[in-house]
Amino acid sequence: MLSPFLAYLLSGVLLCRIARCQYSSDQCSWRGSGLTHEGHTRDVEQVYLRCAQGFLEWLYPTGAIIINLRPNTLSPAASLLSVCIKPSKESSGTHIYLDRLGKLRLLLREEDQAEGRVHCFSIQDGALFIEAVPQRDISRKITALQYELVNHRPGADPQSLSAPCQPCTDAEVLLAACTSDFVARGSILGVAEDDDQTSVTVSLSRLYRQKTQVFVSGGGRAKRWTGFVKMPRQCRVKPGEGEFLFTGTVRFGEAWLSCAPRYKDFLRVYQDAQQQRTNPCHLDTD
């Protein structure tokens, strides 16, 4: 059953005509407290965030806040971005909606946030509308989440962190080798499946690039790196012999696989492009 506050919003009346709006802005992250407007719980605070990633922390939530997420540069490609949010497992006290032109769509109930799962949506789906659940005691309630703006591979599901399961084209492989958050040569040691994702243990003989330290060095003279890459469970990856070129994105501290051709196939594609002078970048393959 909708709360009276939410039902009133859904009536179609302009938001700022029914609530005294407050405005707060920051570049990447926001911290706030419901105690600042506890006496007028119908207030709606507008928050503007202009970074590729950040966090939100709302202590003692009352009323509602609207989180407007946008990239810090204007570009036609910005409309193709997705927003991914990851609530803290301790997050509570609110329901989270998508607000598009005053119409709300439920994204996460209060109890869903404790799962700590990543949820993605197109940036064109609207802003985040976070409404406090009425509580007798708000002192133990904190809503906390991380967000990232994601530039998906064409054809990818905007509600997913990862690329589609079908193999990449030669052009996509070359571009992935130049633009991915991580690029590495290595082999698959093991595969573990969860409810909706697969975690692949990898051993790397060459680490060309990593945005953050998702792969760690084993030390020793024969330098190798180990770590995990994730992908949707439906991709059905299996341990196998041979080396691969692993590429992908780093989201919320986890490596998500994009293109992963066998290294010998990548080498052929790369050398052909090198002869034709169509390589988008140089990669040391010696």
Side-chain angles (χ1 to χ4, degrees), residues 98-112:
L98 288 176
D99 176 7
R100 179 175 173 82
L101 302 176
K103 295 183 178 180
L104 302 185
R105 175 165 65 89
L106 182 63
L107 185 65
L108 287 171
R109 298 184 184 275
E110 179 182 22
E111 54 270 25
D112 299 332

Side-chain angles (χ1 to χ4, degrees), residues 249-260:
T249 57
V250 177
R251 301 300 176 205
F252 304 108
E254 296 178 332
W256 284 82
L257 195 67
S258 177
C259 298

Side-chain angles (χ1 to χ4, degrees), residues 161-200:
L161 278 175
S162 57
C165 294
Q166 65 262 28
C168 296
T169 64
D170 290 352
E172 288 173 333
V173 166
L174 292 173
L175 188 61
C178 297
T179 61
S180 294
D181 292 343
F182 65 88
V183 181
R185 174 183 176 180
S187 56
I188 297 174
L189 296 182
V191 177
E193 293 186 343
D194 198 353
D195 291 339
D196 56 358
Q197 66 186 35
T198 297
S199 181
V200 180

Side-chain angles (χ1 to χ4, degrees), residues 112-188:
D112 299 332
Q113 296 175 45
E115 297 177 358
R117 292 185 178 274
V118 174
H119 297 266
C120 301
F121 54 91
S122 169
I123 198 168
Q124 294 183 315
D125 287 343
L128 288 174
F129 183 95
I130 306 179
E131 183 200 22
V133 178
Q135 307 279 346
R136 288 187 177 183
D137 180 11
I138 63 172
S139 63
R140 299 179 182 274
K141 303 296 181 180
I142 298 176
T143 294
L145 59 86
Q146 298 171 272
Y147 77 87
E148 291 191 7
L149 303 187
V150 180
N151 189 4
H152 278 300
R153 170 186 165 193
D157 181 358
Q159 298 185 20
S160 172
L161 278 175
S162 57
C165 294
Q166 65 262 28
C168 296
T169 64
D170 290 352
E172 288 173 333
V173 166
L174 292 173
L175 188 61
C178 297
T179 61
S180 294
D181 292 343
F182 65 88
V183 181
R185 174 183 176 180
S187 56
I188 297 174

